Amino acid sequence: MRNFFSLTIICLSFLIIGLFLSLSNNLQFLARQLSENLAVVFFLEKDLSPAARTNVLERIRSSPPVEQVRFVSPEDALKRFRERFPQLQDVVSDLGTNPFPASVEVVLKDKTASSPDTLQFMNSLRDFPGVEDVQFNRDWVEKMKSLSRLARAVGYFLGGILILASFFTISNVIRLNVFARRNEIEILRFVGATNTFIRMPFVIEGMALGILGSLLSLALIYGVIRVFPLYLGASLGALQDIVNFRFLTLGQSLSLVFGGALMGLLGSLSSLSRFLKI
Amino acid sequence: MRNFFSLTIICLSFLIIGLFLSLSNNLQFLARQLSENLAVVFFLEKDLSPAARTNVLERIRSSPPVEQVRFVSPEDALKRFRERFPQLQDVVSDLGTNPFPASVEVVLKDKTASSPDTLQFMNSLRDFPGVEDVQFNRDWVEKMKSLSRLARAVGYFLGGILILASFFTISNVIRLNVFARRNEIEILRFVGATNTFIRMPFVIEGMALGILGSLLSLALIYGVIRVFPLYLGASLGALQDIVNFRFLTLGQSLSLVFGGALMGLLGSLSSLSRFLKI
Amino acid sequence: MIELYHVWKQYQKPSWALSDITLQVKKAEFCFVTGPSGSGKTTLLKTLFRELYPTHGQIIIAGKNIQRIPSSKIYELRRQMGIVFQDFRLIFHKRVFENVGLPLEVVGLPRKELRRKVFNALRMVNLHHKIWEFPSGLSYGEQQRVAIARAVVNNPSIILADEPTGNLDTELAFEIIALFREINRQGATVIICTHDKEIIRRFADRAVFLHSGKLIGKETF
Amino acid sequence: MIELYHVWKQYQKPSWALSDITLQVKKAEFCFVTGPSGSGKTTLLKTLFRELYPTHGQIIIAGKNIQRIPSSKIYELRRQMGIVFQDFRLIFHKRVFENVGLPLEVVGLPRKELRRKVFNALRMVNLHHKIWEFPSGLSYGEQQRVAIARAVVNNPSIILADEPTGNLDTELAFEIIALFREINRQGATVIICTHDKEIIRRFADRAVFLHSGKLIGKETF
Ligand SMILES: Nc1ncnc2c1ncn2[C@@H]1O[C@H](COP(=O)(O)OP(=O)(O)OP(=O)(O)O)[C@@H](O)[C@H]1O
Ligand SMILES: Nc1ncnc2c1ncn2[C@@H]1O[C@H](COP(=O)(O)OP(=O)(O)OP(=O)(O)O)[C@@H](O)[C@H]1O
Ligand SMILES: [Mg+2]
Ligand SMILES: [Mg+2]
């Protein structure tokens, strides 16, 4: 009964840590997807020769923070404008000519999307011959930066609290286990058992509890991640493609199990020491 | 020692529930803010008389799902267009006339922002004399709908798991407490104590544990919510105004404490019953 | 007062801890139960205050079939009894005073009278100087005397004592049995399990002898 | 073999549980310790296997000052000893067999020999038929005999027995003491605390008498 209880608590603790890790994995993934959508647009000069245009394109494509480059011809731009603002159709057809300049849309590498390097690089490109203007939503970049900072901060903060709480809980559960068997420990010492002999079963028990608890929690997390999207079902709607639930990485899973074992080991050893005195 | 441990576990359980509640409060608040930004635009016919225009405006303003109405004259629209698309300045000035129609921007009441009622109402307005076209980003509405559904689903799912886990944990802690004192219960029965006499201290202890644990967790949550933004500090940046951390409502706090007391009561009574047999 | 009719008790399958015990103990009788280790003395006593239900048979105490008493009403039976357990059953996180006062506290005796009675009971077992100790700070003989004081503190009409002198020296043991004798003279029915032949020789009106759960001798002295 | 020099022990401030005990027990001696309840017999014994440290004084066993042994090496002392505790100290979730086998298991005796020795020890205390029971399924006398079997199972050179016959009937008690006597004849030093005058009269080579922690009589029979 007591061991069952300990196992449950340990499993719950790891479940919470694991769910949290998985959530942060998903958030990170989401952030990456969002920052992939962060496009920078270079408006080219109207009277640029095709050679110069290729030159500029190459120049942009070869810059370190650039991941992907797409050329948008004035015709494409017009088509897009018509789709986006159907009420303004008349305006554009009245013009007779196409007022849109050619542009280059650039997708930045996720990691550098909001780094000062990138910003500086982009600003320098503004002065590059053939580029008339560089547009990218500074506000948007700022928001992305804040969001990722916020996510990380929430992560460290809550994660820290949870991990501390779990450590505390688990080591206390093991301490309680040892405490409940202090008479047995005493008797073993009185019949001449060495300290190693006494420690061994507790250490094994503690580590087994830790490992079993963490494995169980991994299984539960896996179950939740498999079942949860099904439960959400159609209600996800437009977000279906963005919210792609992913399991913990192998490294994370392993360190969870390893953490469980270590906690069991340390918990047992530290709780035992005070009963090995008399 | 055992009571201290119980208290910690109960407090942690409530801490997690409470943090979760507070998170969901914040999310709800965020969702409301976002849906307040959800504007519907009615484009008015170009040759509408001021009287007819006022009529249409009144008609829109008095509709149930409408929260706020703003009239945008063609001049305002042009100014805004110029600000938003500086590269197209030439195009517009080339035109000589203002191509933009007058429009009415409508902010919807948050709760009905994505309800089918609203959608239907808006579509019906399309045929209203004086209104040439109704525009509102169906996609955006869809996304908001999905997001709020997602948030709610995550809420029910994780919240359910956590509350179940906490219930289980707390009732087990109390069961363990009772179990540890089963000898005392037995002795009390042998010296002629009535069941009520035996139950009383356990019930009081259980309820005290529950109440104390929940109060402690409320204090901790309060602390976290006060300290957390300070810790984030400047890194919040552009999100500062959106992410406005708020404490649990009074009702939520009270039901947390009440839940703690109830759990303590039920846990004690149910754990006791099997020791009151012999 | 206490009547057993064909009482059998089995813990585990093949062997019977009590077989076909029929025994009457009259009001204000002073009765010893003796027999070798494992013969069923403790089992017999436990059936009397319903820690155990007999497998077969009837137990009538003060005219009532005690198996029929619902467990929420069993306190009425136990309030008439003073029980000394072979393993004392003291509450270790409560002081001697509180342990002895327990049977008075559960009936809601006023504090002052409770204190007087507890002190008297402890003085009778020669332990009033340890009144504020915890049981863990006592020797085994002292713990046993606390258990005895608790059993006699509320003037019960029935005393069931299981090996009450096992951890006491002869002089003290005699004193304790003399104390039970005194309470018995005031009208209480007393049943004592003991191994001590000396005590039986000196004090017994009547002793019953158990062997492997069977009643093999009823002697009246 | 066992020498105590001016041993004092105080649990709580005013009173001394042991005062100025000086005592030598020679190798292969058979010594009883007696005295009224609460006189310090258990305390004396506990200092010998270092459950307690004396407040003052020296205890030398087999030429070693036992207070000086580090607690990680204390098992070497205890492996020479067989201890019967007044409260038995059995492990209740282990069977009688495992309880008795404990002192052999901790030295890593082969399974087969362990089984033989455990069975022999249990037969000596007349309990081999309960070998696969749990202690909770035994009467108190039976539990006490399990504790005795555990103390003698590894042929210790020192036996310390605290009230080993308190829950046993006279015949069985005599058998148990005779068993200790036999082990003593084979060379073991035996110290037994007891209240039972009859036992001392029949078996004692030597008895020391304690009163309120003082050694007030050393008799050699
Ligand atoms: N809880 C139990 N489960 C199984 N068997 C039991 C239990 N309690 C006692 N026994 C067995 O029942 C028999 C009688 O036990 P009981 O405790 O009544 O003996 P006793 O006369 O009190 O002995 P002692 O003088 O040693 O205390 C013994 O053989 C014992 O092993
Ligand atoms: N753990 C303890 N804390 C405080 N005082 C104690 C403790 N153990 C024993 N004492 C006191 O020390 C004295 C001697 O106790 P001890 O157990 O040695 O007596 P004993 O001779 O074994 O008695 P008995 O025959 O009743 O077992 C007693 O007065 C007792 O109250
Ligand atoms: Mg018995
Ligand atoms: Mg003693």
Side-chain angles (χ1 to χ4, degrees):
Chain A
M1 143 114 185
R2 178 171 286 110
N3 264 337
F4 172 74
F5 180 58
S6 315
L7 193 64
T8 315
I9 298 242
I10 292 174
C11 173
L12 280 179
S13 302
F14 277 114
L15 185 67
I16 287 163
I17 294 183
L19 280 179
F20 183 78
L21 266 179
S22 143
L23 197 73
S24 103
N25 282 1
N26 280 308
L27 272 183
Q28 214 176 317
F29 176 72
L30 210 74
R32 194 177 307 150
Q33 275 203 330
L34 283 179
S35 63
E36 266 168 19
N37 287 339
L38 175 72
V40 181
V41 184
F42 294 84
F43 291 96
L44 302 184
E45 280 167 14
K46 244 176 200 160
D47 44 4
L48 211 62
S49 68
R53 179 194 286 169
T54 316
N55 186 14
V56 173
L57 229 75
E58 266 320 300
R59 178 79 185 263
I60 295 172
R61 201 194 304 276
S62 63
S63 305
V66 169
E67 166 113 353
Q68 208 185 318
V69 164
R70 194 157 68 127
F71 177 71
V72 181
S73 70
E75 292 75 37
D76 295 339
L78 182 63
K79 220 170 89 194
R80 229 197 257 168
F81 182 78
R82 281 208 177 109
E83 277 163 11
R84 247 196 234 165
F85 306 97
Q87 317 81 33
L88 297 181
Q89 292 241 1
D90 311 339
V91 186
V92 184
S93 22
D94 285 0
L95 272 176
T97 62
N98 184 350
F100 293 98
S103 62
V104 180
E105 285 179 9
V106 168
V107 175
L108 298 173
K109 284 175 186 156
D110 50 5
K111 275 177 196 158
T112 53
S114 54
S115 75
D117 276 10
T118 316
L119 294 179
Q120 196 226 316
F121 155 77
M122 233 94 62
N123 282 327
S124 80
L125 258 191
R126 203 188 294 262
D127 306 331
F128 189 71
V131 172
E132 195 176 280
D133 197 11
V134 182
Q135 247 220 346
F136 63 114
N137 198 339
R138 258 189 165 285
D139 235 45
W140 180 230
V141 172
E142 269 310 305
K143 276 200 177 141
M144 269 310 299
K145 269 165 83 174
S146 314
L147 200 73
S148 80
R149 257 192 243 122
L150 179 70
R152 219 177 320 139
V154 172
Y156 287 153
F157 200 84
L158 276 189
I161 289 184
L162 284 177
I163 287 176
L164 265 181
S166 307
F167 260 78
F168 178 80
T169 309
I170 292 174
S171 82
N172 260 290
V173 161
I174 289 174
R175 193 175 299 268
L176 215 63
N177 258 7
V178 171
F179 190 75
R181 289 170 66 185
R182 66 195 181 285
N183 284 327
E184 195 180 332
I185 297 173
E186 209 179 83
I187 292 169
L188 278 170
R189 277 186 65 82
F190 286 146
V191 299
T194 60
N195 286 350
T196 319
F197 184 95
I198 295 172
R199 277 194 200 107
M200 202 51 75
F202 285 96
V203 165
I204 289 173
E205 185 187 302
M207 287 178 72
L209 274 180
I211 291 174
L212 229 77
S214 53
L215 283 180
L216 221 68
S217 72
L218 281 180
L220 280 175
I221 293 167
Y222 189 70
V224 166
I225 285 168
R226 289 298 291 272
V227 168
F228 189 52
L230 291 183
Y231 164 62
L232 285 177
S235 76
L236 258 177
L239 288 176
Q240 199 114 45
D241 45 332
I242 297 179
V243 182
N244 187 352
F245 291 94
R246 40 207 54 224
F247 193 56
L248 303 182
T249 66
L250 187 67
Q252 287 172 329
S253 308
L254 281 183
S255 48
L256 221 62
V257 174
F258 184 76
L262 193 74
M263 228 177 294
L265 178 72
L266 293 181
S268 304
L269 285 183
S270 74
S271 323
L272 272 172
S273 64
R274 77 171 164 127
F275 296 111
L276 298 179
K277 289 281 156 59
I278 54 153
Chain B
M1 142 115 186
R2 178 171 285 114
N3 264 338
F4 172 73
F5 179 59
S6 314
L7 193 64
T8 316
I9 299 241
I10 292 174
C11 173
L12 280 179
S13 302
F14 277 114
L15 185 66
I16 288 165
I17 294 184
L19 279 179
F20 184 78
L21 265 180
S22 143
L23 197 74
S24 103
N25 282 1
N26 280 307
L27 272 183
Q28 213 176 319
F29 176 72
L30 211 74
R32 195 176 306 149
Q33 275 203 329
L34 283 179
S35 64
E36 266 169 16
N37 288 337
L38 173 72
V40 181
V41 184
F42 294 84
F43 290 98
L44 303 183
E45 279 167 15
K46 244 176 200 162
D47 45 2
L48 212 63
S49 69
R53 180 195 283 169
T54 315
N55 187 15
V56 172
L57 228 76
E58 268 319 300
R59 177 80 184 264
I60 295 173
R61 199 195 305 275
S62 62
S63 305
V66 169
E67 167 113 353
Q68 209 184 319
V69 164
R70 194 157 67 128
F71 177 71
V72 181
S73 71
E75 291 73 41
D76 295 340
L78 182 64
K79 220 170 89 194
R80 228 197 258 169
F81 183 78
R82 281 208 176 110
E83 277 164 11
R84 248 196 233 165
F85 307 96
Q87 316 84 33
L88 296 182
Q89 292 242 358
D90 311 337
V91 184
V92 185
S93 21
D94 283 359
L95 272 177
T97 62
N98 183 349
F100 294 98
S103 62
V104 181
E105 285 179 9
V106 168
V107 175
L108 299 173
K109 284 175 186 158
D110 50 4
K111 277 179 193 156
T112 53
S114 53
S115 74
D117 276 11
T118 317
L119 295 178
Q120 195 227 318
F121 156 76
M122 233 94 62
N123 282 326
S124 79
L125 259 191
R126 201 188 294 262
D127 306 329
F128 189 72
V131 173
E132 195 176 279
D133 197 11
V134 183
Q135 247 220 344
F136 63 113
N137 199 337
R138 257 191 167 283
D139 236 44
W140 181 230
V141 172
E142 269 310 304
K143 277 202 175 137
M144 269 309 300
K145 267 165 88 176
S146 315
L147 200 72
S148 81
R149 257 192 243 122
L150 179 70
R152 218 177 320 140
V154 172
Y156 287 154
F157 200 84
L158 275 190
I161 288 183
L162 284 176
I163 287 176
L164 265 181
S166 308
F167 261 77
F168 178 79
T169 310
I170 293 174
S171 82
N172 260 290
V173 161
I174 289 174
R175 194 175 298 270
L176 215 64
N177 258 6
V178 171
F179 190 74
R181 289 170 66 185
R182 65 193 182 285
N183 284 327
E184 196 180 330
I185 296 172
E186 209 179 82
I187 292 168
L188 278 171
R189 278 186 65 83
F190 286 146
V191 299
T194 60
N195 288 349
T196 320
F197 184 95
I198 295 172
R199 278 195 199 105
M200 202 51 76
F202 285 96
V203 165
I204 290 173
E205 184 187 303
M207 287 179 73
L209 274 179
I211 291 173
L212 229 77
S214 54
L215 283 179
L216 222 68
S217 72
L218 280 180
L220 281 174
I221 292 166
Y222 188 70
V224 166
I225 285 168
R226 289 299 291 269
V227 168
F228 188 52
L230 291 182
Y231 163 63
L232 285 177
S235 75
L236 257 178
L239 288 175
Q240 201 114 46
D241 44 332
I242 295 178
V243 183
N244 187 352
F245 291 94
R246 42 206 53 227
F247 193 57
L248 303 182
T249 66
L250 187 68
Q252 286 172 329
S253 309
L254 281 183
S255 47
L256 222 61
V257 174
F258 182 76
L262 194 74
M263 229 176 294
L265 178 72
L266 292 181
S268 305
L269 285 184
S270 73
S271 324
L272 272 172
S273 62
R274 77 170 165 128
F275 295 111
L276 298 179
K277 289 281 155 60
I278 55 154
Chain C
M1 186 71 177
I2 300 175
E3 300 158 76
L4 293 90
Y5 295 107
H6 307 293
V7 169
W8 297 72
K9 174 69 193 177
Q10 184 169 53
Y11 290 105
Q12 280 155 343
K13 255 297 133 118
S15 59
W16 290 88
L18 294 179
S19 30
D20 201 21
I21 306 281
T22 297
L23 176 70
Q24 279 99 22
V25 178
K26 288 194 209 72
K27 194 162 163 54
E29 218 180 331
F30 194 72
C31 177
F32 284 97
V33 176
T34 186
S37 173
S39 57
K41 303 180 292 299
T42 301
T43 305
L44 180 67
L45 229 54
K46 281 181 174 173
T47 60
L48 296 184
F49 59 88
R50 229 189 60 180
E51 180 172 343
L52 295 175
Y53 286 92
T55 314
H56 309 296
Q58 306 291 321
I59 298 175
I60 318 283
I61 294 182
K64 263 194 198 142
N65 185 333
I66 65 163
Q67 280 118 291
R68 297 259 174 78
I69 303 173
S71 74
S72 62
K73 287 272 173 264
I74 195 72
Y75 69 91
E76 290 171 358
L77 173 71
R78 289 181 182 150
R79 283 184 183 178
Q80 308 168 29
M81 295 179 161
I83 310 170
V84 183
F85 299 91
Q86 202 167 1
D87 54 349
F88 318 156
R89 304 214 188 166
L90 304 177
I91 300 177
F92 271 74
H93 62 90
K94 291 192 167 167
R95 294 175 191 280
V96 167
F97 173 80
E98 295 161 293
N99 268 288
V100 174
L102 226 47
L104 305 174
E105 210 185 313
V106 299
V107 298
L109 204 76
R111 202 76 193 145
K112 209 168 143 192
E113 203 170 344
L114 185 145
R115 206 170 301 167
R116 193 181 54 75
K117 284 196 171 188
V118 169
F119 189 77
N120 277 344
L122 280 171
R123 198 166 47 192
M124 282 194 259
V125 297
N126 211 347
L127 212 65
H128 47 287
H129 55 292
K130 301 275 185 186
I131 191 164
W132 296 116
E133 302 283 334
F134 285 98
S136 57
L138 300 180
S139 80
Y140 292 97
E142 288 163 348
Q143 288 178 23
Q144 189 158 43
R145 284 181 275 160
V146 174
I148 293 166
R150 185 182 62 191
V152 303
V153 75
N154 60 340
N155 296 315
S157 59
I158 299 171
I159 286 182
L160 305 173
D162 198 354
E163 212 83 60
T165 60
N167 289 278
L168 302 178
D169 51 293
T170 322
E171 288 76 33
L172 207 47
F174 286 173
E175 276 178 43
I176 294 296
I177 301 294
L179 169 65
F180 286 136
R181 199 79 177 112
E182 180 57 35
I183 295 170
N184 166 252
R185 287 226 178 79
Q186 288 163 21
T189 312
V190 178
I191 300 182
I192 299 174
C193 297
T194 186
H195 290 122
D196 197 323
K197 293 230 173 65
E198 190 67 24
I199 286 177
I200 294 178
R201 203 173 304 134
R202 273 178 72 150
F203 290 94
D205 285 346
R206 176 182 174 195
V208 299
F209 192 82
L210 282 178
H211 190 89
S212 326
K214 289 187 200 68
L215 210 65
I216 60 168
K218 302 189 194 182
E219 308 162 49
T220 311
F221 296 81
Chain D
M1 188 69 176
I2 299 175
E3 298 158 77
L4 292 90
Y5 296 107
H6 306 290
V7 169
W8 296 72
K9 175 68 193 177
Q10 185 168 53
Y11 289 105
Q12 280 157 342
K13 254 297 133 111
S15 60
W16 290 88
L18 294 179
S19 30
D20 199 21
I21 305 283
T22 297
L23 178 68
Q24 280 99 24
V25 179
K26 288 196 209 71
K27 193 162 161 55
E29 218 181 331
F30 195 72
C31 176
F32 285 97
V33 177
T34 187
S37 173
S39 57
K41 302 179 294 297
T42 301
T43 306
L44 180 67
L45 229 55
K46 280 180 175 174
T47 60
L48 296 184
F49 58 89
R50 228 187 62 178
E51 181 172 343
L52 295 174
Y53 286 90
T55 314
H56 309 297
Q58 306 291 320
I59 299 174
I60 318 283
I61 294 182
K64 263 192 198 145
N65 185 333
I66 64 162
Q67 280 118 293
R68 296 259 176 77
I69 303 174
S71 74
S72 61
K73 287 270 173 269
I74 196 70
Y75 68 91
E76 290 171 359
L77 174 71
R78 289 182 183 149
R79 282 183 184 179
Q80 308 167 30
M81 294 179 161
I83 311 168
V84 183
F85 299 90
Q86 202 168 1
D87 54 350
F88 318 154
R89 302 213 190 169
L90 304 178
I91 301 177
F92 270 73
H93 61 90
K94 290 191 169 168
R95 295 176 191 280
V96 167
F97 172 80
E98 296 161 293
N99 267 289
V100 175
L102 226 47
L104 304 174
E105 210 185 313
V106 299
V107 298
L109 204 76
R111 202 76 194 146
K112 209 170 142 192
E113 204 169 345
L114 184 144
R115 206 170 301 166
R116 194 181 54 75
K117 284 196 171 187
V118 168
F119 190 76
N120 278 344
L122 280 172
R123 199 166 46 191
M124 283 194 259
V125 296
N126 211 347
L127 215 63
H128 45 287
H129 55 291
K130 301 274 186 187
I131 192 166
W132 296 116
E133 302 283 335
F134 286 97
S136 58
L138 300 180
S139 80
Y140 291 96
E142 288 164 348
Q143 288 179 23
Q144 188 158 44
R145 284 181 275 160
V146 174
I148 292 167
R150 185 180 64 190
V152 302
V153 74
N154 60 340
N155 296 315
S157 60
I158 299 170
I159 286 182
L160 306 173
D162 197 355
E163 213 81 60
T165 60
N167 290 278
L168 302 179
D169 51 293
T170 322
E171 289 75 33
L172 208 47
F174 286 173
E175 276 176 44
I176 294 296
I177 302 294
L179 169 66
F180 285 136
R181 198 79 174 112
E182 181 55 37
I183 295 169
N184 165 252
R185 288 228 178 77
Q186 288 162 22
T189 313
V190 178
I191 299 181
I192 300 173
C193 296
T194 186
H195 290 120
D196 196 325
K197 293 228 172 67
E198 190 67 24
I199 286 177
I200 294 179
R201 204 174 303 134
R202 273 177 72 149
F203 290 93
D205 285 346
R206 177 184 174 195
V208 300
F209 192 82
L210 282 177
H211 190 90
S212 327
K214 289 186 200 68
L215 211 64
I216 59 166
K218 303 189 197 184
E219 308 162 49
T220 310
F221 295 82

